[in-house]
Amino acid sequence: NYTYRQENCLEYCIQNKIIEKCDCYDIELPKLSFNLNLRPCLNLTDENCAWKEKNNLGNNIYDKCNHLCPSECVSIQYDLSK
């Protein structure tokens, strides 16, 4: 059973952009399972590429991925109190 979350979708979108630009996946984000031969971004060049791509997306992530990641139909958010 899978519950859709916009936040997860945005992480997959970021990961996909990194894969397209850097030819590796960011180990801090969910791995896209459809490409089992894809390597992680572990060397300095790959890590810099992934960081640069995440930085380029920055605040524009909603503009670049929002059409792919609609809001949840149902969402509950709680505030923590002390």
Side-chain angles (χ1 to χ4, degrees):
N1 192 7
Y2 176 76
T3 301
Y4 172 81
R5 291 184 56 224
Q6 185 182 38
E7 182 180 342
N8 293 350
C9 182
L10 292 171
E11 288 178 345
Y12 281 113
C13 183
I14 294 167
Q15 184 75 279
N16 197 46
K17 303 277 185 203
I18 291 170
I19 291 168
E20 287 175 7
K21 290 277 186 175
C22 307
D23 202 30
C24 59
Y25 68 90
D26 187 322
I27 60 172
E28 295 177 355
L29 295 170
K31 184 179 178 192
L32 303 175
S33 61
F34 61 84
N35 188 344
L36 300 176
N37 296 322
L38 194 62
R39 62 186 174 76
C41 300
L42 294 177
N43 66 46
L44 190 58
T45 302
D46 290 343
E47 288 178 359
N48 284 338
C49 181
W51 180 85
K52 192 186 233 179
E53 190 58 27
K54 283 194 280 191
N55 198 43
N56 286 343
L57 287 170
N59 293 331
N60 296 326
I61 185 64
Y62 289 100
D63 294 336
K64 295 185 179 187
C65 294
N66 203 33
H67 66 285
L68 300 171
C69 300
S71 298
E72 300 95 343
C73 295
V74 175
S75 180
I76 299 173
Q77 186 172 356
Y78 297 96
D79 291 328
L80 296 176
S81 60
K82 294 182 179 182

XYZ file of all heavy atoms in Angstrom:
675
model
N 0.845 -1.174 0.000
C 0.000 0.000 0.000
C 0.896 1.244 0.000
O 1.798 1.360 0.816
C -0.895 -0.043 1.225
C -1.997 0.986 1.161
O -2.164 1.652 0.147
N -2.747 1.100 2.231
N 0.665 2.160 -0.895
C 1.493 3.349 -1.030
C 0.648 4.592 -0.841
O -0.415 4.728 -1.450
C 2.156 3.378 -2.412
C 2.955 4.630 -2.660
C 4.199 4.805 -2.070
C 2.460 5.641 -3.464
C 4.935 5.957 -2.286
C 3.185 6.796 -3.688
C 4.423 6.942 -3.098
O 5.146 8.081 -3.310
N 1.109 5.498 0.004
C 0.440 6.773 0.193
C 1.251 7.842 -0.522
O 2.443 8.010 -0.243
C 0.339 7.118 1.697
O -0.376 6.080 2.349
C -0.372 8.436 1.907
N 0.621 8.522 -1.446
C 1.297 9.572 -2.205
C 1.599 10.755 -1.298
O 0.754 11.189 -0.519
C 0.409 10.037 -3.370
C 0.964 11.242 -4.085
C 1.967 11.101 -5.029
C 0.515 12.525 -3.789
C 2.500 12.205 -5.673
C 1.037 13.632 -4.433
C 2.033 13.469 -5.369
O 2.554 14.557 -5.998
N 2.824 11.273 -1.408
C 3.211 12.494 -0.720
C 3.939 13.389 -1.705
O 4.855 12.943 -2.396
C 4.122 12.180 0.474
C 3.390 11.479 1.597
C 4.261 11.244 2.823
N 4.819 12.505 3.306
C 6.091 12.645 3.686
N 6.929 11.631 3.637
N 6.530 13.803 4.122
N 3.535 14.641 -1.772
C 4.163 15.579 -2.691
C 5.657 15.708 -2.403
O 6.473 15.781 -3.320
C 3.491 16.947 -2.610
C 4.040 17.927 -3.631
C 3.425 19.299 -3.522
O 3.152 19.789 -2.429
N 3.201 19.926 -4.669
N 6.034 15.714 -1.136
C 7.445 15.840 -0.772
C 8.281 14.716 -1.376
O 9.375 14.951 -1.889
C 7.584 15.829 0.758
C 8.996 15.993 1.241
C 9.091 15.971 2.756
O 8.078 16.172 3.435
O 10.200 15.738 3.247
N 7.774 13.490 -1.339
C 8.483 12.357 -1.952
C 8.611 12.545 -3.457
O 9.661 12.278 -4.042
C 7.774 11.045 -1.666
C 7.825 10.655 -0.208
O 8.530 11.254 0.583
N 7.052 9.657 0.140
N 7.545 12.989 -4.071
C 7.560 13.214 -5.513
C 8.606 14.264 -5.882
O 9.351 14.098 -6.855
C 6.176 13.651 -5.977
S 6.060 13.917 -7.758
N 8.707 15.331 -5.104
C 9.696 16.375 -5.375
C 11.112 15.835 -5.219
O 12.002 16.174 -6.009
C 9.469 17.570 -4.455
C 8.188 18.353 -4.719
C 7.950 19.374 -3.618
C 8.203 19.015 -6.082
N 11.331 14.955 -4.226
C 12.650 14.338 -4.066
C 13.000 13.476 -5.275
O 14.134 13.484 -5.741
C 12.701 13.506 -2.788
C 12.728 14.339 -1.532
C 12.719 13.506 -0.273
O 12.420 12.287 -0.330
O 13.018 14.082 0.791
N 12.027 12.731 -5.788
C 12.262 11.930 -6.994
C 12.549 12.825 -8.193
O 13.383 12.494 -9.033
C 11.072 11.015 -7.291
C 11.030 9.786 -6.440
C 10.027 9.589 -5.505
C 12.000 8.796 -6.568
C 9.989 8.452 -4.719
C 11.976 7.658 -5.789
C 10.966 7.483 -4.868
O 10.945 6.367 -4.095
N 11.863 13.948 -8.264
C 12.086 14.886 -9.357
C 13.518 15.440 -9.301
O 14.212 15.495 -10.313
C 11.064 16.017 -9.286
S 11.192 17.202 -10.645
N 13.975 15.822 -8.105
C 15.340 16.306 -7.932
C 16.334 15.220 -8.329
O 17.295 15.472 -9.056
C 15.589 16.746 -6.474
C 14.729 17.958 -6.125
C 17.066 17.062 -6.253
C 14.666 18.260 -4.637
N 16.083 13.999 -7.846
C 16.959 12.879 -8.175
C 17.038 12.686 -9.691
O 18.117 12.475 -10.244
C 16.450 11.605 -7.491
C 17.329 10.394 -7.682
C 18.580 10.433 -6.841
O 19.549 11.095 -7.212
N 18.575 9.719 -5.738
N 15.911 12.766 -10.345
C 15.884 12.582 -11.795
C 16.702 13.657 -12.501
O 17.421 13.368 -13.459
C 14.438 12.577 -12.291
C 14.330 12.006 -13.667
O 14.901 10.966 -13.980
N 13.590 12.686 -14.529
N 16.612 14.904 -12.029
C 17.403 15.994 -12.619
C 18.894 15.739 -12.416
O 19.701 15.984 -13.312
C 17.018 17.336 -12.009
C 15.560 17.697 -12.143
C 15.267 18.308 -13.458
C 13.799 18.756 -13.489
N 13.269 18.874 -14.804
N 19.273 15.237 -11.237
C 20.683 14.919 -10.969
C 21.161 13.798 -11.889
O 22.237 13.874 -12.467
C 20.879 14.541 -9.485
C 20.680 15.784 -8.614
C 22.248 13.915 -9.246
C 20.608 15.499 -7.129
N 20.347 12.780 -12.048
C 20.707 11.663 -12.932
C 20.909 12.152 -14.365
O 21.875 11.788 -15.028
C 19.637 10.554 -12.869
C 19.682 9.877 -11.490
C 19.834 9.533 -13.979
C 18.497 8.977 -11.208
N 20.003 13.014 -14.832
C 20.114 13.547 -16.197
C 21.398 14.346 -16.392
O 22.054 14.229 -17.417
C 18.910 14.448 -16.503
C 17.618 13.703 -16.708
C 16.436 14.647 -16.878
O 16.630 15.879 -16.966
O 15.304 14.146 -16.897
N 21.765 15.161 -15.409
C 22.932 16.038 -15.544
C 24.247 15.348 -15.199
O 25.269 15.638 -15.802
C 22.782 17.263 -14.629
C 21.726 18.223 -15.054
C 22.250 19.162 -16.107
C 21.198 20.214 -16.392
N 21.643 21.220 -17.294
N 24.226 14.461 -14.190
C 25.478 13.949 -13.619
C 25.739 12.480 -13.930
O 26.823 11.976 -13.643
C 25.460 14.133 -12.106
S 25.110 15.825 -11.587
N 24.752 11.774 -14.448
C 24.881 10.353 -14.777
C 25.188 9.497 -13.541
O 25.912 8.512 -13.613
C 25.948 10.151 -15.859
C 25.753 8.840 -16.599
O 24.605 8.389 -16.709
O 26.766 8.267 -17.050
N 24.658 9.929 -12.397
C 24.767 9.177 -11.151
C 23.608 9.623 -10.266
O 22.921 10.585 -10.585
C 26.104 9.436 -10.466
S 26.417 11.171 -10.045
N 23.375 8.906 -9.158
C 22.285 9.302 -8.262
C 22.830 9.770 -6.917
O 23.868 9.319 -6.451
C 21.268 8.171 -8.076
C 21.776 6.969 -7.321
C 21.658 6.894 -5.938
C 22.348 5.895 -7.993
C 22.114 5.782 -5.245
C 22.803 4.781 -7.309
C 22.677 4.734 -5.932
O 23.139 3.640 -5.250
N 22.116 10.711 -6.316
C 22.486 11.262 -5.012
C 22.081 10.261 -3.931
O 20.913 9.885 -3.833
C 21.764 12.595 -4.807
C 22.221 13.333 -3.563
O 22.487 12.678 -2.537
O 22.296 14.576 -3.610
N 23.041 9.839 -3.105
C 22.766 8.814 -2.094
C 21.884 9.342 -0.965
O 21.347 8.556 -0.183
C 24.061 8.209 -1.523
C 24.923 9.289 -0.864
C 24.833 7.471 -2.609
C 26.130 8.752 -0.118
N 21.695 10.658 -0.863
C 20.843 11.232 0.177
C 19.375 11.301 -0.239
O 18.518 11.600 0.583
C 21.340 12.625 0.551
C 22.718 12.606 1.185
C 23.233 13.995 1.498
O 22.577 14.993 1.148
O 24.314 14.075 2.104
N 19.101 11.027 -1.486
C 17.733 11.070 -2.003
C 17.284 9.655 -2.358
O 18.117 8.775 -2.560
C 17.666 11.962 -3.248
C 17.955 13.437 -3.033
C 18.089 14.154 -4.368
C 16.867 14.076 -2.193
N 15.970 9.443 -2.467
C 15.493 8.113 -2.863
C 16.060 7.703 -4.223
O 16.137 8.519 -5.137
C 13.974 8.274 -2.950
C 13.657 9.518 -2.196
C 14.875 10.380 -2.256
N 16.465 6.444 -4.328
C 16.988 5.929 -5.594
C 15.818 5.543 -6.496
O 14.859 4.922 -6.052
C 17.881 4.712 -5.358
C 18.521 4.208 -6.625
C 19.419 3.020 -6.383
C 20.001 2.538 -7.697
N 20.641 1.257 -7.587
N 15.918 5.912 -7.745
C 14.906 5.517 -8.721
C 15.189 4.078 -9.116
O 16.245 3.772 -9.647
C 14.954 6.447 -9.937
C 14.766 7.933 -9.615
C 14.955 8.771 -10.867
C 13.415 8.182 -9.010
N 14.269 3.195 -8.862
C 14.529 1.758 -8.989
C 14.545 1.243 -10.425
O 14.966 0.128 -10.653
C 13.492 0.985 -8.177
O 12.205 1.255 -8.677
N 14.107 2.051 -11.392
C 14.003 1.516 -12.743
C 15.353 1.310 -13.417
O 15.462 0.586 -14.372
C 13.105 2.394 -13.621
C 13.603 3.796 -13.796
C 14.539 4.103 -14.758
C 13.102 4.816 -13.001
C 14.997 5.394 -14.934
C 13.553 6.108 -13.176
C 14.495 6.395 -14.131
N 16.412 1.944 -12.920
C 17.724 1.796 -13.542
C 18.696 1.184 -12.531
O 19.347 1.889 -11.770
C 18.246 3.146 -14.033
C 19.513 3.008 -14.850
O 20.171 1.969 -14.828
N 19.871 4.052 -15.573
N 18.804 -0.126 -12.534
C 19.623 -0.826 -11.553
C 21.119 -0.673 -11.816
O 21.932 -0.916 -10.932
C 19.242 -2.301 -11.522
C 17.790 -2.593 -11.154
C 17.513 -4.077 -11.253
C 17.451 -2.058 -9.782
N 21.509 -0.277 -13.022
C 22.924 -0.133 -13.357
C 23.482 1.240 -13.013
O 24.672 1.481 -13.181
C 23.144 -0.399 -14.854
C 22.806 -1.819 -15.222
O 23.068 -2.745 -14.459
N 22.200 -2.001 -16.378
N 22.636 2.139 -12.564
C 23.070 3.486 -12.252
C 23.968 3.488 -11.014
O 23.702 2.801 -10.044
C 21.840 4.357 -11.995
C 22.060 5.848 -11.971
C 22.568 6.340 -13.321
C 20.764 6.545 -11.631
N 25.035 4.269 -11.073
C 25.995 4.309 -9.967
C 25.709 5.504 -9.061
O 25.160 6.517 -9.494
C 27.413 4.377 -10.512
C 27.694 5.608 -11.318
C 29.072 5.591 -11.975
N 29.206 6.746 -12.831
C 29.418 7.986 -12.418
N 29.532 8.242 -11.150
N 29.530 8.976 -13.278
N 26.103 5.410 -7.803
C 25.932 6.540 -6.889
C 26.963 7.641 -7.164
O 28.034 7.372 -7.699
C 26.145 5.922 -5.509
C 26.971 4.709 -5.751
C 26.623 4.220 -7.133
N 26.637 8.860 -6.803
C 27.563 9.987 -6.928
C 28.496 9.957 -5.718
O 28.171 10.481 -4.659
C 26.799 11.313 -6.942
S 25.603 11.511 -8.266
N 29.652 9.334 -5.873
C 30.562 9.165 -4.744
C 31.875 9.906 -4.886
O 32.464 10.307 -3.888
C 30.842 7.676 -4.503
C 29.647 6.844 -4.057
C 30.049 5.382 -3.916
C 29.068 7.366 -2.756
N 32.369 10.089 -6.117
C 33.635 10.810 -6.244
C 33.375 12.318 -6.227
O 32.247 12.791 -6.336
C 34.419 10.353 -7.481
C 33.734 10.695 -8.780
O 33.254 11.814 -8.986
N 33.672 9.729 -9.681
N 34.427 13.087 -6.072
C 34.312 14.531 -5.911
C 33.620 15.203 -7.094
O 32.771 16.082 -6.918
C 35.701 15.137 -5.683
C 35.742 16.600 -5.268
C 34.953 16.826 -3.990
C 37.175 17.054 -5.101
N 33.934 14.764 -8.294
C 33.315 15.337 -9.493
C 31.810 15.105 -9.489
O 31.030 16.031 -9.740
C 33.942 14.727 -10.770
O 35.348 14.970 -10.757
C 33.336 15.337 -12.021
N 31.409 13.874 -9.179
C 29.981 13.545 -9.135
C 29.267 14.302 -8.024
O 28.167 14.830 -8.216
C 29.777 12.044 -8.916
C 30.168 11.216 -10.128
O 30.295 11.785 -11.228
O 30.355 9.993 -9.958
N 29.886 14.351 -6.852
C 29.270 15.050 -5.722
C 29.108 16.535 -6.019
O 28.082 17.136 -5.693
C 30.087 14.848 -4.450
C 29.971 13.444 -3.887
C 30.823 13.238 -2.652
O 31.537 14.172 -2.227
O 30.777 12.130 -2.100
N 30.107 17.136 -6.647
C 30.007 18.551 -7.029
C 28.900 18.771 -8.053
O 28.176 19.758 -7.983
C 31.337 19.067 -7.577
C 32.352 19.322 -6.494
O 32.004 19.508 -5.322
N 33.621 19.326 -6.863
N 28.791 17.858 -8.992
C 27.736 17.953 -10.006
C 26.358 17.871 -9.342
O 25.476 18.680 -9.633
C 27.908 16.836 -11.032
S 26.674 16.863 -12.347
N 26.174 16.909 -8.441
C 24.888 16.739 -7.749
C 24.580 17.964 -6.899
O 23.445 18.468 -6.907
C 24.907 15.473 -6.894
N 25.576 18.460 -6.167
C 25.372 19.639 -5.332
C 24.971 20.841 -6.195
O 24.067 21.591 -5.854
C 26.646 19.954 -4.548
C 26.483 21.162 -3.688
C 25.965 21.206 -2.428
C 26.807 22.510 -4.041
N 25.961 22.502 -1.973
C 26.473 23.323 -2.949
C 27.360 23.111 -5.175
C 26.663 24.701 -2.950
C 27.546 24.482 -5.173
C 27.201 25.255 -4.076
N 25.677 21.006 -7.309
C 25.395 22.120 -8.212
C 23.964 22.036 -8.759
O 23.256 23.032 -8.829
C 26.399 22.102 -9.362
C 26.417 23.329 -10.221
C 27.349 23.082 -11.401
C 28.363 24.158 -11.533
N 29.282 23.945 -12.647
N 23.541 20.829 -9.122
C 22.192 20.662 -9.660
C 21.136 20.950 -8.592
O 20.141 21.621 -8.862
C 22.020 19.246 -10.218
C 20.754 19.036 -10.995
C 20.582 19.978 -12.181
O 21.572 20.470 -12.750
O 19.415 20.233 -12.543
N 21.355 20.458 -7.370
C 20.410 20.752 -6.276
C 20.389 22.249 -5.999
O 19.326 22.830 -5.782
C 20.790 19.997 -4.999
C 20.403 18.543 -5.036
C 20.474 17.903 -3.666
C 21.881 17.549 -3.306
N 21.958 16.697 -2.093
N 21.545 22.884 -6.026
C 21.640 24.315 -5.787
C 20.947 25.102 -6.899
O 20.277 26.095 -6.641
C 23.106 24.725 -5.662
C 23.269 26.065 -5.009
O 22.611 26.363 -4.021
N 24.146 26.877 -5.557
N 21.121 24.660 -8.151
C 20.458 25.323 -9.282
C 18.944 25.231 -9.172
O 18.237 26.171 -9.523
C 20.909 24.720 -10.609
C 22.308 25.134 -11.001
O 22.855 26.100 -10.483
N 22.915 24.382 -11.906
N 18.453 24.094 -8.711
C 17.005 23.939 -8.535
C 16.529 24.826 -7.396
O 15.553 25.541 -7.533
C 16.645 22.481 -8.249
C 16.739 21.539 -9.428
C 16.590 20.101 -8.965
C 15.683 21.863 -10.460
N 17.245 24.765 -6.268
C 16.978 25.621 -5.115
C 15.522 25.951 -4.900
O 14.668 25.082 -4.759
N 15.232 27.225 -4.887
C 13.868 27.694 -4.651
C 12.962 27.490 -5.853
O 11.757 27.663 -5.747
C 13.879 29.182 -4.268
C 14.520 29.406 -2.928
O 14.491 28.556 -2.055
N 15.130 30.569 -2.760
N 13.535 27.140 -6.995
C 12.738 26.934 -8.209
C 12.211 25.512 -8.337
O 11.625 25.163 -9.351
C 13.568 27.275 -9.447
C 13.954 28.730 -9.481
O 13.207 29.590 -9.043
N 15.138 29.015 -9.994
N 12.442 24.681 -7.325
C 12.018 23.279 -7.421
C 10.523 23.166 -7.686
O 10.087 22.342 -8.475
C 12.417 22.479 -6.148
C 12.079 21.007 -6.310
C 11.762 23.029 -4.906
C 12.837 20.306 -7.391
N 9.729 24.028 -7.069
C 8.281 23.957 -7.289
C 7.927 24.362 -8.710
O 7.032 23.783 -9.311
C 7.535 24.805 -6.259
C 7.592 24.197 -4.889
C 8.492 24.649 -3.945
C 6.781 23.119 -4.552
C 8.572 24.067 -2.689
C 6.855 22.523 -3.310
C 7.744 23.008 -2.385
O 7.820 22.416 -1.156
N 8.644 25.334 -9.254
C 8.389 25.742 -10.636
C 8.754 24.637 -11.618
O 8.077 24.420 -12.609
C 9.185 26.999 -10.989
C 8.739 28.212 -10.194
O 7.580 28.226 -9.737
O 9.557 29.134 -10.026
N 9.857 23.925 -11.327
C 10.357 22.924 -12.266
C 9.708 21.554 -12.099
O 9.721 20.752 -13.028
C 11.868 22.805 -12.131
C 12.569 24.078 -12.542
C 14.049 23.960 -12.543
C 14.654 25.280 -12.993
N 16.078 25.223 -13.174
N 9.152 21.263 -10.921
C 8.613 19.924 -10.665
C 7.141 19.924 -10.274
O 6.536 18.858 -10.197
C 9.412 19.246 -9.554
S 11.122 18.904 -9.996
N 6.579 21.083 -10.020
C 5.209 21.131 -9.504
C 4.202 20.510 -10.467
O 3.246 19.873 -10.041
C 4.819 22.568 -9.165
C 3.698 22.622 -8.163
O 3.594 21.766 -7.289
N 2.862 23.618 -8.284
N 4.427 20.671 -11.770
C 3.502 20.087 -12.743
C 3.544 18.556 -12.695
O 2.596 17.894 -13.098
C 3.810 20.598 -14.152
C 5.135 20.157 -14.682
N 6.328 20.690 -14.255
C 5.448 19.211 -15.598
C 7.323 20.093 -14.885
N 6.821 19.192 -15.710
N 4.634 18.005 -12.185
C 4.759 16.553 -12.050
C 4.301 16.063 -10.678
O 4.048 14.875 -10.508
C 6.225 16.131 -12.247
C 6.855 16.472 -13.584
C 8.346 16.190 -13.544
C 6.181 15.683 -14.690
N 4.233 16.972 -9.716
C 3.985 16.603 -8.321
C 2.835 17.411 -7.729
O 3.060 18.372 -6.983
C 5.247 16.829 -7.495
S 6.673 15.873 -8.024
N 1.612 17.034 -8.019
C 0.483 17.767 -7.444
C 0.399 17.553 -5.931
O 1.012 16.632 -5.387
C -0.735 17.158 -8.150
C -0.286 15.800 -8.556
C 1.184 15.916 -8.844
N -0.338 18.408 -5.271
C -0.552 18.273 -3.828
C -1.300 16.985 -3.521
O -2.010 16.441 -4.372
C -1.359 19.454 -3.300
O -0.646 20.641 -3.499
N -1.171 16.545 -2.276
C -1.910 15.368 -1.834
C -3.407 15.687 -1.806
O -3.799 16.832 -1.603
C -1.486 14.956 -0.414
C -0.033 14.605 -0.269
C 0.825 15.773 0.209
O 0.383 16.927 0.121
O 1.949 15.513 0.644
N -4.225 14.676 -1.968
C -5.668 14.863 -1.829
C -6.026 15.092 -0.361
O -6.895 15.884 -0.040
C -6.431 13.643 -2.347
S -6.233 13.400 -4.111
N -5.332 14.380 0.518
C -5.564 14.504 1.954
C -4.211 14.668 2.621
O -3.272 13.921 2.347
C -6.251 13.240 2.520
C -6.387 13.331 4.031
C -7.592 13.018 1.856
N -4.118 15.644 3.495
C -2.872 15.890 4.208
C -3.184 16.399 5.595
O -4.053 17.245 5.776
C -2.040 16.920 3.442
O -0.828 17.164 4.108
N -2.485 15.861 6.582
C -2.648 16.317 7.959
C -1.273 16.769 8.450
O -0.293 16.039 8.338
C -3.176 15.182 8.871
C -4.538 14.708 8.374
C -3.245 15.650 10.319
C -5.064 13.490 9.102
N -1.240 17.965 8.986
C 0.024 18.503 9.498
C -0.194 18.897 10.946
O -1.183 19.566 11.287
C 0.445 19.712 8.664
C 1.795 20.235 9.040
C 2.271 21.306 8.067
O 1.620 21.601 7.072
N 3.401 21.895 8.350
N 0.718 18.493 11.808
C 0.632 18.790 13.222
C 1.741 19.735 13.628
O 2.864 19.619 13.160
C 0.748 17.510 14.059
C -0.363 16.522 13.820
C -0.198 15.471 12.940
C -1.576 16.657 14.478
C -1.215 14.551 12.728
C -2.598 15.751 14.268
C -2.403 14.703 13.387
O -3.408 13.803 13.181
N 1.431 20.660 14.529
C 2.446 21.493 15.139
C 2.862 20.857 16.444
O 2.015 20.353 17.205
C 1.889 22.903 15.418
C 1.626 23.693 14.145
O 2.375 23.476 13.172
O 0.679 24.484 14.137
N 4.151 20.869 16.717
C 4.647 20.323 17.970
C 4.575 21.387 19.041
O 4.907 22.540 18.816
C 6.097 19.853 17.807
C 6.327 18.702 16.828
C 7.827 18.421 16.717
C 5.601 17.463 17.301
N 4.132 20.997 20.208
C 4.106 21.942 21.329
C 4.978 21.398 22.441
O 5.194 20.189 22.553
C 2.679 22.145 21.812
O 2.126 20.929 22.242
N 5.464 22.296 23.240
C 6.363 21.899 24.326
C 5.596 21.525 25.566
O 4.537 21.904 25.841
C 7.336 23.025 24.654
C 8.287 23.286 23.520
C 9.245 24.356 23.902
C 10.221 24.616 22.766
N 11.198 25.594 23.070
